[in-house]
Amino acid sequence: MIPEETIHDALAEIFADVFLRDDIPISNELSARDVKGWDSFKQIEIIMATEERFAVKLTSAELDGLRNLGDLVRIVAERGRI
Amino acid sequence: MSDRPCLHWLPPRPDDWRTRLKALSERGASAESWTEAIGLANHDLDFTATNALAGVVGRVFTAEALPFVESRPERLAVLSSSTTSHLLPGLVVGALRRGIRLTAQENDYGLYRESLTEDGGWLADFRPTSVLFALDTRHLARGATDCRTRADAEALIDRTLVGLRALWARARDRFAAKVLQQTPIPCLPRLMGSNEHRNPASAAALVARMNVRIREIADEDGVDLVALDDRVARDGLSAWYDVAFWLKAKQEIALPAAPMFGDLVARILAARQGRSAKCLVLDLDNTLWGGVVGDEGPLGVALGEGSALGEAFLSVQAYARDLRRRGVVLAVCSKNDEEIARSVFRENPDMVLKESDISCFVANWTDKATNLREIARRLNLGIDSLVFLDDNPFERGLVRRELPMVFVPELPAAPEGYVAALADSGCFEATTLTEEDLARVEYYRADRPSLDIPIEATDLEGHLADLQMVLTWGHIDEKTLARTTQLINKTNQFNLTTRRHGEEEVRALAVDPHSLCLWFRLADRYGDHGLIAVVIARKSPSEAEVFEVDTWLMSCRVLGRRVEQAVLEVLVAAVRAKGGRVLHGIYRRTAKNDMVHDLYGRLGFETVAEEPGEIRSRLGLSEFDTFSPPIVVREVVG
């Protein structure tokens, strides 16, 4: 299991790259509603950057089931590699 | 997760990249900020960095006409049957790398045909200068699985291509736009396997066939292809295609491949604007050969057949030579004394590149940026048409800083990667081979006879005769000692005795009047094969007028060309000259040399003793009849 904190730190960097902002508060509850410009394309960018960072691949069912950042964090914690 | 197709010829993103991007986002449009944007683009950017840079460029450089940009702006319409929004930033950044301001727009999902045919509409407002047809593979192969016969499948391809040509014509006629067509990627599953093409209802086979046909009609219609099928073959399908994101978002080209996709398209647009490079400037030491000629001497540098390292440098030279034949001017820029630098070209027989291939030869101790300016001036070429190939990170960094308009490919530490860095970078991208390209070669050529003789041989003998083989040979001496010893110790297959001799032993044999130590090189119309054979024969200590073949080995590259017959003729003459009348040959079996177990028999020796691990043979030289193979033999006297 990768510690949640490690994943949050990595997501903070990914969000800073994707949105060119470093003031987005990363939490498991964060979702597209909370961040201006978080559309379906940014969504895929975030997922793929996370996949690369933690060498993990989301299944089609997991892609369908993502509701917030926590869903992504849990998958990475279970199957990701540092 | 994927192995993204890296832009490995560009340096990695530096630590301050994001800070610089933020600084750029706060500046206005100016010549300086444009140069800075190009500088930021010229790194191996992943999709996140690419998207961020494209976003900033879009906000900073809003005006259509930018007075400080000398290239023509490109308005690229991407017409597609699936999702392409994620590809647009890569296109912007790819063009930026080449100094072109590109804006891109795409059709509403799936409505590419309607976009072209509707009155007015977004395309009319956009006034594209280029139109890219990015139709996905499934769309192009629709209906394939209903085909019952091969004729059905061909007819389906015909109909699809007729439709495609109508769209191309429409784009060109309506907007006077350049037309680009992406080739479909092989992402469909096979139903049979390797012989898929025998199944008329296979979509995978239909796509493969379409990729052949599309090239033919694109040539006829003057349409430029974006050869994704070729790139996928190099990077692997998984680098380009991610089935989960196809299902989720109908992105046929996966986001990690978007930067490469954009670069592939942008280099074609740049080539069409005449912005591809025209001249390859080569460093020498550790770029064209291994080692430093000033230290190792012209014959001591690593180059040529016989070692993997030497062959790696050969391949760099061969690629440069082939580029030259295609119209790329070659120049040399080296920190060396000129005479020493030129000595390798003049004295090392393994050099593929000749002095006459080099249109401008600069070797001195001045800094390379100054020398590159001088090369551009002497050749009367724009400095931005130079590409500078140098193994030394210091020199690369200097030139990138001093002359940002010169393309300097990032090179891996090992020379076997140099060719891929040049080839993958697309710096010499060309969409056609023009008269002008070929004239450029003529213009810069020295006095080199053409080697392009068409092959007309059909039978083996005729083929061998047409090869125009030249076998040169000599007695091993100090100059040839190192290379021959190397071959003696690495040849396993065509090796009669597999006796490994060290350099000292070979040196002793070479000066022994009772021994013959011979080396052989072979060249033919296709080039020089380098050192290909070594033969050592020694006078028998017990029997008068008898010589024993101690060592005979040959490179497998030259098998099946009757070279062994020519070698034997040379050996027989040399033995005769030393008063010998009989030759003894021994075959000593190893795990790898079965291919020559009957060599002596084939050459007319008679077997005198046969044991499991050894065959002894004998040849009376008075009965020896020449074979007269179609090979010119020349002796080189020390």
Side-chain angles (χ1 to χ4, degrees):
Chain A
M1 288 283 280
I2 301 175
E4 196 174 275
E5 208 179 284
T6 309
I7 303 169
H8 280 183
D9 288 350
L11 283 171
E13 277 184 39
I14 288 169
F15 272 69
D17 267 342
V18 170
F19 294 102
L20 284 185
R21 282 171 53 188
D22 35 28
D23 58 346
I24 299 173
I26 300 297
S27 75
N28 281 348
E29 288 67 47
L30 195 70
S31 74
R33 285 189 306 276
D34 308 316
V35 181
K36 186 167 166 273
W38 185 341
D39 56 18
S40 59
F41 292 107
K42 293 289 186 202
Q43 167 93 349
I44 288 175
E45 197 178 335
I46 292 162
I47 295 169
M48 290 204 113
T50 309
E51 286 190 342
E52 282 205 351
R53 173 71 180 70
F54 291 102
V56 65
K57 183 85 194 74
L58 270 65
T59 65
S60 53
E62 287 166 343
L63 290 175
D64 285 340
L66 292 178
R67 292 158 304 152
N68 57 26
L69 218 49
D71 290 335
L72 182 61
V73 170
R74 274 185 288 283
I75 293 164
V76 170
E78 248 175 59
R79 298 212 309 274
R81 290 199 303 272
I82 303 180
Chain B
M1 181 183 65
S2 67
D3 294 321
R4 72 181 173 95
C6 289
L7 312 178
H8 57 88
W9 57 90
L10 295 173
R13 183 154 66 119
D15 291 338
D16 64 349
W17 191 88
R18 208 196 298 166
T19 319
R20 282 170 61 187
L21 181 65
K22 276 195 174 159
L24 177 67
S25 70
E26 285 148 20
R27 290 166 67 174
S30 68
E32 291 73 32
S33 56
W34 180 247
T35 304
E36 171 68 355
I38 294 174
L40 288 171
N42 271 299
H43 295 95
D44 176 17
L45 305 180
D46 62 11
F47 56 87
T48 305
T50 300
N51 291 357
L53 176 57
V56 168
V57 165
R59 288 193 292 278
V60 172
F61 305 99
T62 45
E64 160 85 28
L66 301 166
F68 43 83
V69 178
E70 51 167 296
S71 61
R72 289 198 303 279
E74 288 282 354
R75 293 180 301 277
L76 176 68
V78 180
L79 298 187
S80 180
S81 45
S82 59
T83 305
T84 53
S85 310
H86 63 303
L87 302 177
L88 306 186
L91 295 162
V92 172
V93 172
L96 181 58
R97 276 189 197 109
R98 292 155 181 85
I100 297 172
R101 173 75 177 108
L102 178 142
T103 43
Q105 286 192 24
E106 59 181 342
N107 54 271
D108 285 340
Y109 187 83
L111 302 179
Y112 70 92
R113 198 184 299 272
E114 293 78 353
S115 297
L116 270 176
T117 49
E118 69 186 344
D119 289 331
W122 70 275
L123 262 182
D125 294 339
F126 184 49
R127 295 178 299 116
T129 56
S130 301
V131 176
L132 167 62
F133 289 88
L135 307 180
D136 67 80
T137 297
R138 286 174 183 78
H139 183 71
L140 283 172
R142 65 198 184 281
T145 50
D146 296 330
C147 292
R148 309 281 291 268
T149 64
R150 283 206 208 187
D152 286 350
E154 278 307 304
L156 177 61
I157 294 175
D158 286 341
R159 285 198 301 279
T160 306
L161 295 185
V162 164
L164 208 49
R165 294 179 101 156
L167 295 174
W168 293 347
R170 177 107 186 137
R172 188 169 22 212
D173 297 346
R174 192 166 161 207
F175 305 107
K178 289 183 293 292
V179 177
L180 291 85
Q181 172 69 49
Q182 138 191 336
T183 60
I185 62 172
C187 62
L188 299 177
R190 286 162 185 270
L191 295 162
M192 283 174 61
S194 291
N195 292 285
E196 190 72 12
H197 60 283
R198 293 176 190 154
N199 178 359
S202 161
L206 182 120
V207 168
R209 182 87 186 101
M210 188 177 286
N211 266 326
V212 175
R213 301 266 316 268
I214 215 167
R215 285 168 162 81
E216 297 163 3
I217 60 166
D219 289 358
E220 288 170 22
D221 290 11
V223 166
D224 293 332
L225 295 177
V226 183
L228 297 190
D229 56 336
D230 173 71
R231 200 58 242 176
V232 164
R234 288 161 200 281
D235 299 328
L237 182 61
S238 63
W240 277 84
Y241 175 72
D242 185 325
V243 67
F245 288 94
W246 165 255
L247 299 172
K248 180 72 188 166
K250 290 294 172 282
Q251 295 179 349
E252 187 186 48
I253 295 166
L255 182 56
M260 176 74 96
F261 175 84
D263 210 82
L264 291 179
V265 174
R267 58 182 69 161
I268 295 171
L269 300 177
R272 282 286 180 192
Q273 288 202 19
R275 297 181 67 80
S276 286
K278 297 180 182 68
C279 173
L280 176 62
V281 185
L282 299 154
D283 168 54
L284 296 180
D285 291 332
N286 289 314
T287 298
L288 284 194
W289 54 69
V292 176
V293 57
D295 296 338
E296 323 277 345
L299 301 176
V301 295
L303 179 69
E305 318 278 354
S307 75
L309 183 67
E311 293 198 29
F313 286 108
L314 269 192
S315 69
V316 176
Q317 295 201 11
Y319 187 70
R321 175 202 59 199
D322 294 346
L323 279 176
R324 181 179 184 279
R325 288 181 184 161
R326 203 213 80 184
V328 173
V329 178
L330 300 184
V332 158
C333 178
S334 166
K335 279 192 175 154
N336 257 312
D337 288 326
E338 183 165 344
E339 280 310 300
I340 290 175
R342 286 185 184 271
S343 69
V344 187
F345 287 80
R346 289 170 182 168
E347 293 170 39
N348 191 315
D350 285 317
M351 283 293 287
V352 171
L353 290 175
K354 310 297 177 199
E355 277 181 294
S356 56
D357 294 324
I358 308 299
S359 301
C360 184
F361 198 112
V362 174
N364 57 34
W365 299 95
T366 310
D367 77 85
K368 294 206 171 186
T370 304
N371 281 335
L372 287 171
R373 287 191 197 93
E374 174 65 14
I375 287 168
R377 192 191 61 77
R378 279 201 223 164
L379 293 174
N380 197 24
L381 289 170
I383 193 147
D384 57 358
S385 63
L386 303 187
V387 171
F388 176 54
L389 194 74
D390 196 313
D391 68 292
N392 187 333
F394 167 84
E395 304 290 2
R396 294 201 297 266
L398 174 93
V399 171
R400 284 193 193 119
R401 195 171 53 252
E402 292 295 308
L403 304 170
M405 67 296 269
V406 173
F407 175 64
V408 184
E410 189 67 1
L411 297 183
E416 55 267 32
Y418 293 179
V419 170
L422 260 183
D424 287 348
S425 78
C427 57
F428 296 115
E429 182 84 18
T431 52
T432 53
L433 203 52
T434 63
E435 294 293 321
E436 188 188 323
D437 292 322
L438 300 175
R440 194 182 303 125
V441 185
E442 279 306 315
Y443 177 73
Y444 287 105
R445 92 189 285 131
D447 49 349
R448 190 186 150 110
S450 171
L451 294 171
D452 303 325
I453 311 156
I455 304 174
E456 286 168 6
T458 47
D459 61 318
L460 182 65
E461 277 313 299
H463 178 59
L464 291 180
D466 277 0
L467 278 176
Q468 299 162 14
M469 288 183 280
V470 177
L471 184 74
T472 50
W473 68 278
H475 295 272
I476 294 175
D477 58 15
E478 282 304 318
K479 268 200 310 206
T480 44
L481 183 63
R483 294 292 311 285
T484 49
T485 307
Q486 205 175 38
L487 200 64
I488 288 169
N489 287 289
K490 82 163 227 189
T491 306
N492 294 317
Q493 298 184 73
F494 193 118
N495 194 334
L496 273 305
T497 57
T498 320
R499 289 182 181 136
R500 308 300 196 191
H501 297 300
E503 209 168 282
E504 287 313 310
E505 277 174 90
V506 178
R507 181 181 280 126
L509 285 167
V511 297
D512 177 358
H514 299 303
S515 297
L516 282 165
C517 298
L518 310 178
W519 58 261
F520 297 82
R521 301 176 62 94
L522 187 76
D524 61 30
R525 55 184 282 203
Y526 296 112
D528 191 348
H529 298 275
L531 182 72
I532 50 100
V534 174
V535 176
I536 298 175
R538 310 167 76 160
K539 198 169 179 182
S540 165
S542 49
E543 296 178 67
E545 301 178 334
V546 171
F547 274 73
E548 294 176 354
V549 182
D550 170 277
T551 295
W552 182 351
L553 50 90
M554 279 192 7
S555 163
C556 293
R557 291 167 209 280
V558 297
L559 292 182
R561 300 166 158 228
R562 302 179 65 187
V563 173
E564 60 275 24
Q565 297 175 351
V567 167
L568 180 62
E569 288 179 5
V570 169
L571 176 64
V572 166
V575 167
R576 277 185 180 141
K578 285 213 179 263
R581 302 171 66 104
V582 173
L583 204 51
H584 283 177
I586 305 165
Y587 164 74
R588 296 206 311 178
R589 184 177 297 280
T590 69
K592 293 180 177 165
N593 71 346
D594 186 62
M595 67 186 302
V596 287
H597 74 271
D598 63 348
L599 179 78
Y600 284 123
R602 281 188 276 130
L603 291 172
F605 285 62
E606 66 173 292
T607 304
V608 292
E610 187 157 358
E611 293 162 21
E614 194 167 294
I615 302 170
R616 297 180 158 270
S617 314
R618 176 188 182 282
L619 180 69
L621 300 193
S622 52
E623 303 119 43
F624 178 71
D625 217 347
T626 57
F627 296 103
S628 307
I631 300 173
V632 175
V633 177
R634 287 193 193 128
E635 185 181 2
V636 174
V637 183

